[in-house]
Amino acid sequence: MPFPPGGGTDLVARLLSQKLTERFGQQVIVDNRGGANAIIGTDLAAKAAPDGHTVLIVPAGHAITPSVMRTLPYDTLKDFAAIGLIGNGAYVLVVNPAVPAKTVSEFVALAKARPGQLNYAYTGYGNATHLSGELFKVLTGIDMVGIVYKGGGPALTDVIGGQVPAFFSGVASGSAQIRAGKLRALGVTTTRRTAALPDVPTIAEAGVPGYEVNGWYGLLAPKATPITVIQRFNAELAALLSLPEIKERLLAAGIDASGSSPAEFHDRIARDITRWSAVVKKARIAVE
């Protein structure tokens, strides 16, 4: 798990690990290795023994990192064997309740009135939470400063505490805090509303035409992992995603359970790498 505890990816990992422990008959441990925009944990997984005992859970940002980093200690496609997609999800623009903006339009107006004074949290340079904010800036013409965090958990803590006003949170990690009134949701990043937050409009319908960021979660293994192991993991994952309990818990977190074959997931990552490369160039995001 290439992020600290508490974020959306961690939530999904822990939900699956409980059920995989039951199905495999041995403990499946979530090993949080956050840092360096998920590169530390991802690299550990890439170089792990390809024996089926180490797998990597990744969010959509896995396909963005190659576009914003000049060098990586691994090849995003070639150094991993795809296991399968877990599901598709949205991000949601949340603010601390003290922020004087109750809609996306009011937030844009506030940012324009305070150029360079409003900050937003993101969980790694160039990942989906960062690109969500940068695309928002491009389409609205606002000047907002990004503050990097090691993961969604620490970012949410600081937004709730008032240290930073806004965050494009994964619905998986932010929905409970929204329902508890500790965060105010302004809009979701997908083109359709999410069942987890049915009363929250999309950012596009709330006044930013053309805005769209889709998230997903999936499982990978080191590249030389035997195909029999990949197929077993894929079958177990498909079985889990068909369970009503898992579907409901993922949906409550804003994730539509949606499995895939290993080949389909590999192709999804490849397409997103190409797509996000174009977005990075359009948003003029500096490559590090």
Side-chain angles (χ1 to χ4, degrees):
M1 229 299 296
F3 297 99
T9 311
D10 185 63
L11 183 152
V12 176
R14 293 181 187 279
L15 174 60
L16 294 182
S17 69
Q18 295 171 7
K19 292 296 183 181
L20 286 173
T21 292
E22 296 171 8
R23 298 187 69 89
F24 285 139
Q26 58 180 315
Q27 188 69 37
V28 177
I29 299 168
V30 178
D31 185 3
N32 295 88
R33 299 295 186 100
N37 192 17
I39 293 172
I40 292 174
T42 303
D43 187 42
L44 283 170
K47 295 175 172 58
D51 56 9
H53 289 278
T54 300
V55 297
L56 175 72
I57 183 168
V58 290
H62 180 72
I64 300 173
T65 306
S67 297
V68 295
M69 303 299 292
R70 292 189 189 279
T71 60
L72 289 171
Y74 53 83
D75 186 294
T76 305
L77 279 177
K78 295 179 181 178
D79 286 343
F80 297 95
I83 293 175
L85 183 69
I86 296 168
N88 298 292
Y91 295 92
V92 56
L93 172 57
V94 296
V95 296
N96 181 283
V99 173
K102 295 185 177 180
T103 66
V104 169
S105 296
E106 289 179 1
F107 185 77
V108 171
L110 180 66
K112 287 185 175 180
R114 303 177 184 177
Q117 297 178 39
L118 280 186
N119 298 332
Y120 77 96
Y122 65 91
T123 61
Y125 187 82
N127 74 4
T129 62
H130 185 203
L131 268 291
S132 294
E134 293 302 304
L135 184 60
F136 188 78
K137 288 166 59 177
V138 167
L139 294 179
T140 59
I142 64 174
D143 180 10
M144 190 168 58
V145 180
I147 306 296
V148 65
Y149 285 79
K150 289 185 177 180
L156 283 170
T157 297
D158 272 12
V159 177
I160 292 169
Q163 282 77 26
V164 61
F167 177 40
F168 285 84
S169 169
V171 172
S173 53
S175 56
Q177 307 296 346
I178 293 167
R179 288 191 287 267
K182 296 180 179 180
L183 295 170
R184 178 185 299 137
L186 302 185
V188 295
T189 65
T190 43
T191 55
R192 293 187 300 175
R193 296 191 183 197
T194 172
L197 300 168
D199 296 329
V200 179
T202 69
I203 290 175
E205 72 176 288
V208 188
Y211 187 92
E212 177 188 2
V213 177
N214 291 297
W216 48 255
Y217 300 91
L219 288 180
L220 302 172
K223 63 179 179 181
T225 302
I227 187 61
T228 52
V229 174
I230 296 297
Q231 291 172 339
R232 171 74 189 280
F233 253 106
N234 181 268
E236 296 292 353
L237 180 60
L240 289 187
L241 296 176
S242 70
L243 296 175
E245 174 194 355
I246 296 296
K247 285 185 175 182
E248 290 170 8
R249 292 181 67 179
L250 287 174
L251 191 60
I255 301 167
D256 180 18
S258 179
S260 73
S261 70
E264 288 169 339
F265 186 41
H266 176 276
D267 291 347
R268 172 78 175 267
I269 295 171
R271 288 196 306 272
D272 270 15
I273 288 174
T274 300
R275 173 177 176 262
W276 281 114
S277 176
V279 172
V280 166
K281 290 177 183 178
K282 180 179 179 181
R284 297 180 180 178
I285 295 171
V287 177
E288 289 196 341

